[in-house]
Amino acid sequence: MKLSKLNTLAIIAASVAATATFTASASSISGNVEAGKSKAATCLACHGEGGGKPIAPEYPILAGQHPDYILAALQQYKSGKRKNASMNGFAAALKTQDMKDLAVYFAAQPSPLRSKY
């Protein structure tokens, strides 16, 4: 099947639009990376430096995760929807802005989850 130049341009335009939409939604969290770094000191005890080297396999890698995912997880720990004695306790003390700052900080870190290609 051969695509016309017009169809090819339409596909490219749709891809660019989809990427722009994803980027906008991925960056919709108004957090501060530097503030998140200073707030992450407690997290490093289990999740490791930058959230990328957990001390045990049961602790997830936070580095490179989507900020929306990290924010949602912290909110769920705080509300009790997610159950983990340590995380419920830590999240209970966090304000919404703290969670946003942590989310963008961990999302911005180099991650073993990302391909090196």
Side-chain angles (χ1 to χ4, degrees), residues 14-29 64-68:
S15 292
V16 170
T19 301
T21 301
F22 175 75
T23 302
S25 67
S27 64
S28 65
I29 295 177
Q65 292 285 0
H66 292 280
D68 293 333

Side-chain angles (χ1 to χ4, degrees):
M1 179 170 144
K2 191 172 181 181
L3 292 176
S4 72
K5 189 172 185 177
L6 184 58
N7 285 342
T8 303
L9 290 174
I11 291 169
I12 292 170
S15 292
V16 170
T19 301
T21 301
F22 175 75
T23 302
S25 67
S27 64
S28 65
I29 295 177
S30 57
N32 180 292
V33 173
E34 286 304 311
K37 181 178 182 177
S38 68
K39 295 172 184 178
T42 303
C43 309
L44 305 183
C46 297
H47 298 282
E49 187 65 35
K53 295 181 181 173
I55 62 167
E58 61 267 19
Y59 301 119
I61 293 171
L62 300 178
Q65 292 285 0
H66 292 280
D68 293 333
Y69 174 79
I70 296 171
L71 178 59
L74 289 171
Q75 290 169 333
Q76 291 168 358
Y77 283 124
K78 184 175 177 116
S79 73
K81 184 175 181 179
R82 279 191 184 201
K83 306 287 185 206
N84 178 284
S86 296
M87 286 303 303
N88 293 131
F90 292 132
L94 296 175
K95 294 181 172 88
T96 299
Q97 191 60 51
D98 297 332
M99 290 186 257
K100 289 178 179 182
D101 293 341
L102 288 166
V104 297
Y105 167 70
F106 285 119
Q109 300 311 298
S111 176
L113 299 174
R114 292 189 185 132
S115 171
K116 296 187 192 286
Y117 302 104

